[in-house]
């Protein structure tokens, strides 16, 4: 099921590392306030998959995504990412592993008052020494990776603009470039299009599908709109109250499946609409 | 428009329905505190022994001194006044720079999430302690070591500056958006990388603004510090007041006021440009 396209440009260094698989065994996440995010989840995701994770807010999909890069620690169970024990990693080792996992957020999480380039170079911090970081003296290769990542999402022209001056869709593309600059084995996206209008949402989802297909990177996307989940994912995982209630191919998931995941009838509010989500070319 | 016109009629024609608004919350402590503070203010007012008969002469006295000072200011003293003002501004500038250099790293260590708790609490205690002591008292203490020189004034301003700049600094750091910090962590950034590229780009304009504001404060405070004889325009002002050379005092006051206002306006304009100017452009 891996989709490393043979026509990946030779110059594009943004997939230097091989895609990573994810293995969760009996994973439990319990927050300090007693709330249970994940209830004994076991899950295998193969390298190169494009997975849509759906569920209502509070279903545990954010916990699942944040567990995979260690932003949320496991209370019990094990997590292997690319063959490395993420749940045991601490300090330098944890940062090294996180450096291989890109993350995209609903709110973009860019530092608005600095340039697009500086934001994308955040993706190179795991490979940059602290003295170099403090003065912003990145190596030429790291800058080159940042430029290539921006080029891939069509934002190279804005490289010296301030991030806050960009539109929401442009900011999310810069955030995708930041993740790509990491040369990641996995890209995690937590509700990446929930703050965007429908055409921009399709464009950003198209970008995520493209990095999965062209670079072969494993992509996990949290979504709550079922047409996006069906149209862009190859595999669909449904979460409800911290448990996996659906796991299967995305394209054939029926409305009844979604009603089981959501625990209520499906309505218009569960669809984004707009451009057809059929797997065609990416809009410019 | 129709909706607006019909709305009141609908309300009036609706059958009267018994509604029960929630009981007004009782706040007994608020009443107690209000009464206590009122009593305190009245008592303090009566306990202060003011010779009301003498205040009758006050307006006439003020007018007489204003006339002595400003009817015919000693303009020939202006060059010397300018020179002494320059010395005061130098004192303010050096004090500001020293304060910035020392407070800058300390404010990071004092911020929640960066410095360890004991260090944080110790630094916050130090900042409050310093702010509790006026510059002039600090100067009198330092005086015994460094003597009656402008350096004493600069050091006193620097020490006081550590208190205010340190507090403003850690408050600015704690007030930044958590999103970019999370993004740096997710990309494998270490603590100081997070500070540099998650926090600093957001807090930098506020820091620069605080530094300028502190310089404004120092310019005003340096004139006051002259009163204890550390040099500058305050020193000159004290001397001529003691000699009762009112025309000279008048000329000095004019110089001090104009220079202070000029510095305040310039620095204020730059600060506005830094903090609000960027926001105004973001909206565009």
């Amino acid at each position: 099921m891996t989709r490393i396209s043979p026509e990946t440009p030779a110059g594009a260094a943004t997939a230097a590392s091989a895609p990573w698989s994810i293995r969760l065994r009996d994973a439990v996440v319990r927050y300090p306030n007693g709330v249970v995010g994940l209830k004994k989840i076991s899950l295998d995701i193969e390298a190169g998959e494009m997975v849509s994770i759906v569920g209502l807010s509070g279903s545990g999909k954010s916990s699942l995504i944040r567990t995979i890069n260690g932003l949320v620690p496991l209370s019990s169970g094990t997590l292997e990412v690319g063959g490395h024990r993420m749940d045991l990693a601490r300090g330098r080792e944890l940062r090294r592993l996180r450096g291989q996992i890109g993350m995209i957020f609903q709110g973009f999480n860019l530092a608005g008052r600095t340039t697009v380039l500086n934001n994308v170079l955040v993706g190179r911090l795991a490979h940059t020494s602290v003295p170099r970081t403090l003065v912003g003296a990145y190596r030429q290769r790291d800058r080159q990776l940042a430029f290539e990542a921006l080029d891939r999402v069509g934002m190279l022209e804005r490289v010296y603009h301030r991030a806050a001056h960009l539109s929401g869709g442009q900011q999310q593309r810069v955030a995708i470039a930041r993740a790509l600059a990491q040369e990641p084995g996995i890209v995690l996206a937590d509700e990446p299009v929930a703050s965007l209008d429908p055409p921009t949402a399709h464009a950003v989802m198209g970008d995520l599908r493209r990095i999965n297909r062209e670079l072969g990177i494993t992509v996990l996307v949290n979504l709550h709109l079922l047409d996006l989940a069906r149209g862009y994912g190859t595999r669909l995982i449904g979460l409800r109250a911290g448990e996996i209630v659906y796991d299967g191919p995305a394209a054939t998931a029926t409305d009844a499946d979604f009603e089981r995941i959501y625990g209520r009838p499906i309505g218009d509010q569960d669809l984004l609409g707009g451009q057809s989500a059929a797997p065609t070319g990416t809009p410019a | 428009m129709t909706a607006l016109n019909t709305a009141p009629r609908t309300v009036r024609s609706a059958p009267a329905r018994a509604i029960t608004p929630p009981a007004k919350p009782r706040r007994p402590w608020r009443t107690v505190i209000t009464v206590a503070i009122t009593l305190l203010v009245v008592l303090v007012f009566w306990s202060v022994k003011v010779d009301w008969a003498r205040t009758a002469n006050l307006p006439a006295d003020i007018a007489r001194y204003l006339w002595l000072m400003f009817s015919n200011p000693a303009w020939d003293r202006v060059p010397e006044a300018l020179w002494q003002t320059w010395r005061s501004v130098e004192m303010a500038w050096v004090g500001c720079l020293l304060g910035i250099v020392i407070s800058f790293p300390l404010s990071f260590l004092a911020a929640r999430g960066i410095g360890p708790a004991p260090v944080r609490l110790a630094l916050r205690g130090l900042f409050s302690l310093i702010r509790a002591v006026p510059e002039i008292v600090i100067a009198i203490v330092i005086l015994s070591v460094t003597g009656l020189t402008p350096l004493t004034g600069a050091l006193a301003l620097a020490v006081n500056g550590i208190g205010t700049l340190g507090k403003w600094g850690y408050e600015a750091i704690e007030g930044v958006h958590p999103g970019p910090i999370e993004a740096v962590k997710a990309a494998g950034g270490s603590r100081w990388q997070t500070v540099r590229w998650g926090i600093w780009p957001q807090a930098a304009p506020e820091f620069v603004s605080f530094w300028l504001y502190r310089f404004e404060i120092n310019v005003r405070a340096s004139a006051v510090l002259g009163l204890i004889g550390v040099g500058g325009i305050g020193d000159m002002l004290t001397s001529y007041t003691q000699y009762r050379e009112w025309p000279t005092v008048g000329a000095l006051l004019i110089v001090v006021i104009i220079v202070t206002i000029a510095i305040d306006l310039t620095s204020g304009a730059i600060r506005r440009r830094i903090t609000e100017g960027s926001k105004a452009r973001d909206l565009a």
Side-chain angles (χ1 to χ4, degrees), chain B residues 104-121:
Chain B
F104 184 66
L106 295 186
S107 54
F108 281 94
L109 289 173
R112 204 169 295 129
I114 304 176
V119 174
R120 205 169 70 213
L121 291 177

Side-chain angles (χ1 to χ4, degrees), chain B residues 20-43:
Chain B
T20 47
K24 189 180 176 186
R26 296 163 145 274
R27 298 196 175 91
W29 276 110
R30 189 186 279 191
T31 319
V32 171
I33 290 167
T34 312
V35 171
I37 290 176
T38 313
L39 278 176
L40 192 70
V41 170
V42 172
L43 282 175

Side-chain angles (χ1 to χ4, degrees), chain A residues 55-61 191 224:
Chain A
L56 296 173
S57 55
S59 61
K61 57 189 201 295
E191 291 281 5
H224 65 272

